[in-house]
Structures are given as C-alpha cells and as structure tokens.
Amino acid sequence: MTATMDPKADDVVHEAPFQTYEERLRTLSEASVEQHFDAFTDIAWDDPDLAIDPTDERWILPEVDVLGRHPWYQGLPKDERIRIGLYRQANVTKVGLQFEQILVAGLMNYVYSLPNGSAEFRYATHEATEETHHTQMFQEFVNRSGQDVPGGSRLFHLLSPVLPLAARLAPYGFYYGVLAGEEPIDHVQKSILRAGDDMHPLLQRIMQIHVAEEARHIGFAHQYLVHNAPRLSKPERAVLSIVVPVIMKWLCNEILVPSKQAQKDMGIPRSVMKDLYWEGEESQKFLRDLFGDVRMLAEQTGMMNPVSRRVWRLMRIDGRSSRFRSAPASAAS
C-alpha cells in the first residue's frame, strides 16, 4: 500500500478517550492495515533522483546531528565531510536494522504463548511485519551506499542472540528496552525532518516511512507498560526502577555512539568522541532531551523513586519529563 506523510508532521494514532487497553490495541492494529509501507513498492529505489552519489554534498551531516554541528567536523574539507556523512548515515541505519532484528525475534518470543483471542497477538504481529520491512529498507540503503559498515559494537553483536529471550522471561523489562532503542532514533529522525534541511531524498523518504510507523510501535510500548504496571510486585518494581535507566543509557549508546570500528573508519579523534558522547555541555543537553518521554512514562508506571532518580542522574539522562508524548524538548515541563 502506498501512503504519504508530511515530513514535518508526527504521524501518531489519536485514540478516543476512555478506550480500554484491548480497544486501543485494535485501533493500532486497524491503523497498521489502513496505512502501512512496503520496502520495495513505496520507495523508488531505481529512480535516478534517489541514486546515491558518494560525492553529493547532501550527505554532509546537518547541525541537528551532534557530530554534524561539532567544530571538528565543520572544520574538515568538504569532501571529507561528505565521506564521513555518508558513512555515518549508513552506520546508524545498520545499527537500527540490527536492533529491529532483535525486536522482531523478541516479539515472536512474546506472542508464542499468548492465549487465543489476544488483542496483543494481532498488534504484535502487525508490528513484526512492519519492522521486517524496515530491516529490508535499511539494508537496501546500506547496500546502495557502498559503505561496509559494522553497525553496533562487539558487545551488542555478542548479546544479540540472547536479548530476544527477555521478551518471554521478562516482558516488562523487554518493552522498556524497546523504547531504549526506538526513542533515540525516533527523536533524531523527527528533529532532522522538522529542521527541513536540504537532505538526500532517499534518506528523507526512509525517515518519513520509519517515523510514521514507529509512532504506532512506540505508542504500543507505552500502552503495554502503563497497562501492566499495576501487576508488578513491589520487588519487581524496585529492581526494574533501577535497571530501566541503565538499559536506556546502554541502548542509546549502541544506537547513537559510533563503535570503535566506526570511529576508526571515520577518523574521529578520541578527544572529539569524548566531547560528543557525552562530555560536552551541548551533547549532555541533547542526551537528556532524548528521554523526556521515557521519564514521563517512568513517572506514570511508578519507576521513579529516590533511589532510581539517582541512577537516572548517574546515567546523565535525568531532567524534566515531557508533558505529552512526542513533545518537542522546549515543551517539556
């Protein structure tokens, strides 16, 4: 099904008030039927206007990217900024692909034991279908970029076969982990699309599709966590309240921080890496802003307490919570 969206708009599902959890899941499932994307019919891969030229100036990173606005990057010759920009976009895409492969495997683990008639089964399998199309879309972009990027770190690769098991063994923690990966890349892509900079149309189309469908996926994770929070025992809540900010920071780093190999390939000096991730004042603000929605959710689900607040602060992802989901950083209260 071919669908379009305004690149500056947030394509969220607006739910009627007073819906039950099951009704909200049906709303999300129906939205997946009414508006969904195919990796190979909704992107004109062979359109000459979408061809990837490794000398195209549109691969220069925008200033909304923490690397793109750093003085070291901005001081490089144009051809080097283009080279690094294309590599950077391809590597972030590869990490996103790897994360979504883990997510799909986790979803299949989760739905395996759901009872007949479960509204969660239908929605989760819709999401798995959409995420599979995302992995195809991301890999096609990486292939056409000509960049042999590694994606995540060695630790991420090592743990990738194990992480999906959490969806059955500890589903509540798993869905917080889902947000730990989805929220940062969603925040960055929305910021880039809202900025309206002159970006490559292929990358723009990929981001538009991803943002449109991730709105549902993030919405479901929020609904699941709020709905199931009352079912947690006091010990479970206490442990998770401490584990959640650690998971958030770790997976955020996996998504946004270049791996050792990627740093080497791009030639980023160690001093610049420290400033970017996350020693500089501007980068620290960027990091805190990424998790405004998750901090709001943690408040709603009882994951904030005096001890866990210290952990959020230790991870340097504390700050004001969003007033509403997908609020721009300036709207936090």
Side-chain angles (χ1 to χ4, degrees), residues 303-314:
M303 293 292 130
M304 284 291 189
N305 56 58
V307 176
S308 66
R309 289 183 192 279
R310 293 181 181 180
V311 181
W312 282 87
R313 192 177 306 117
L314 181 65

Side-chain angles (χ1 to χ4, degrees), residues 184-236:
I185 194 166
D186 185 67
H187 180 95
V188 170
Q189 289 183 340
K190 283 178 179 176
S191 297
I192 292 172
L193 291 172
R194 285 168 176 161
D197 294 331
D198 182 25
M199 63 187 302
H200 194 283
L202 177 58
L203 186 61
Q204 182 181 53
R205 183 60 179 152
I206 289 171
M207 285 188 181
Q208 288 172 350
I209 290 173
H210 191 247
V211 165
E213 294 191 324
E214 286 302 304
R216 289 194 291 267
H217 305 171
I218 292 173
F220 169 66
H222 278 251
Q223 292 288 343
Y224 175 90
L225 292 166
V226 170
H227 177 72
N228 287 286
R231 294 172 168 80
L232 297 174
S233 66
K234 288 185 177 180
E236 288 173 330

Side-chain angles (χ1 to χ4, degrees), residues 98 101-102 105 154-165:
Q98 292 163 344
Q101 287 176 316
I102 292 170
R154 290 183 180 180
L155 177 63
F156 190 64
H157 286 286
L158 181 66
L159 294 178
S160 60
V162 179
L163 293 175
L165 300 177

Side-chain angles (χ1 to χ4, degrees), residues 82-100:
I82 293 170
R83 182 191 72 82
I84 292 173
L86 178 55
Y87 183 100
R88 167 75 171 154
Q89 298 288 8
N91 195 63
V92 170
T93 301
K94 183 70 175 183
V95 179
L97 181 160
Q98 292 163 344
F99 174 81
E100 295 198 338

Side-chain angles (χ1 to χ4, degrees), residues 17-236:
F18 313 118
Q19 282 186 314
T20 66
Y21 176 63
E22 288 73 19
E23 287 170 341
R24 288 174 177 173
L25 295 194
R26 281 195 289 273
T27 297
L28 290 171
S29 294
E30 289 164 3
S32 289
V33 173
E34 292 166 2
Q35 184 182 47
H36 61 270
F37 300 87
D38 183 283
F40 295 102
T41 61
D42 288 299
I43 300 177
W45 293 102
D46 296 323
D47 185 334
D49 290 339
L50 301 189
I52 295 179
D53 176 359
T55 66
D56 192 328
E57 293 183 12
R58 290 174 296 184
W59 295 118
I60 294 176
L61 295 172
E63 291 194 4
V64 294
D65 185 291
V66 291
L67 176 57
R69 64 174 171 262
H70 195 276
W72 172 80
Y73 178 79
Q74 293 184 347
L76 293 172
K78 182 183 292 184
D79 59 347
E80 186 66 359
R81 281 182 286 145
I82 293 170
R83 182 191 72 82
I84 292 173
L86 178 55
Y87 183 100
R88 167 75 171 154
Q89 298 288 8
N91 195 63
V92 170
T93 301
K94 183 70 175 183
V95 179
L97 181 160
Q98 292 163 344
F99 174 81
E100 295 198 338
Q101 287 176 316
I102 292 170
L103 173 55
V104 170
L107 288 170
M108 293 299 97
N109 273 323
Y110 178 69
V111 302
Y112 187 84
S113 57
L114 289 179
N116 295 332
S118 169
E120 286 184 353
F121 181 94
R122 178 182 171 183
Y123 172 75
T125 49
H126 276 306
E127 181 169 329
T129 300
E130 291 164 359
E131 297 290 19
T132 300
H133 280 294
H134 294 176
T135 64
Q136 293 175 323
M137 176 174 70
F138 289 169
Q139 187 62 60
E140 188 68 13
F141 173 78
V142 171
N143 292 346
R144 289 173 181 254
S145 75
Q147 308 298 306
D148 187 18
V149 291
S153 69
R154 290 183 180 180
L155 177 63
F156 190 64
H157 286 286
L158 181 66
L159 294 178
S160 60
V162 179
L163 293 175
L165 300 177
R168 187 182 296 190
L169 302 176
Y172 200 85
F174 173 79
Y175 276 105
Y176 258 112
V178 168
L179 291 178
E182 289 183 335
E183 291 278 10
I185 194 166
D186 185 67
H187 180 95
V188 170
Q189 289 183 340
K190 283 178 179 176
S191 297
I192 292 172
L193 291 172
R194 285 168 176 161
D197 294 331
D198 182 25
M199 63 187 302
H200 194 283
L202 177 58
L203 186 61
Q204 182 181 53
R205 183 60 179 152
I206 289 171
M207 285 188 181
Q208 288 172 350
I209 290 173
H210 191 247
V211 165
E213 294 191 324
E214 286 302 304
R216 289 194 291 267
H217 305 171
I218 292 173
F220 169 66
H222 278 251
Q223 292 288 343
Y224 175 90
L225 292 166
V226 170
H227 177 72
N228 287 286
R231 294 172 168 80
L232 297 174
S233 66
K234 288 185 177 180
E236 288 173 330

